[in-house]
Amino acid sequence: MDDALRNAFLRNDTPAIPPEARTLLRYKNSLENMRHLFLYGMDLRTVTTRHIDTWEADLRKIMGGIVSLHRTANVEKFLISTDAVLEHIGKANHCLYRVSHLLGQQGDKNKKLLYQIFNEVCVHLFNAIEQFKNLDE
């Protein structure tokens, strides 16, 4: 999707595009941004429980929004599998819980495990993102 169309989606400037597609695009962008942050944008040594709480809450909101859309709209046009996207986001969230538990523990072994778990989060986020169909069709 080109930048102009993506920006139009996000500003709600395109009435021909269903509102559920705009909402799902916002969720997809949030997942992509979170994944990018974990991979490239943040020094994982500086992660705090406050960060984890924020990310966990963001993922729960996305999951709740997808569940709500699934009940009220035909999201199958925009998602390959609602169940799969919810499963992958749930797994990413579970990994964040594991990170939160490890943050209070000392030792190189725990730090190494923490970094491995963040890699798992990125894999689950990628798998969730892959469930979104091309939203500009």
Side-chain angles (χ1 to χ4, degrees), residues 19-21 66-78:
E20 59 270 18
I66 291 172
V67 168
S68 294
L69 281 175
H70 184 66
R71 287 190 212 134
T72 61
N74 188 13
V75 295
E76 291 80 21
K77 293 188 316 190
F78 309 110

Side-chain angles (χ1 to χ4, degrees), residues 49-102:
T49 55
R50 189 173 185 172
H51 291 114
I52 299 297
D53 293 345
T54 300
W55 298 325
E56 183 271 333
D58 290 346
L59 290 177
R60 278 190 293 116
K61 287 178 190 172
I62 292 170
M63 289 177 71
I66 291 172
V67 168
S68 294
L69 281 175
H70 184 66
R71 287 190 212 134
T72 61
N74 188 13
V75 295
E76 291 80 21
K77 293 188 316 190
F78 309 110
L79 293 174
I80 294 169
S81 169
T82 303
D83 292 336
V85 75
L86 292 172
E87 177 184 352
H88 290 299
I89 295 171
K91 287 180 178 180
N93 224 8
H94 179 76
C95 288
L96 290 177
Y97 291 136
R98 291 171 49 208
V99 168
S100 182
H101 176 74
L102 284 174

Side-chain angles (χ1 to χ4, degrees), residues 28-44 55 118 121-123 125-126 129:
K28 181 181 179 184
N29 286 337
S30 294
L31 296 172
E32 288 172 336
N33 290 338
M34 188 179 291
R35 182 174 180 271
H36 187 269
L37 176 70
F38 297 156
L39 288 173
Y40 315 110
M42 183 170 200
D43 182 349
L44 297 178
W55 298 325
F118 264 110
V121 171
C122 292
V123 168
L125 292 176
F126 175 82
I129 293 162

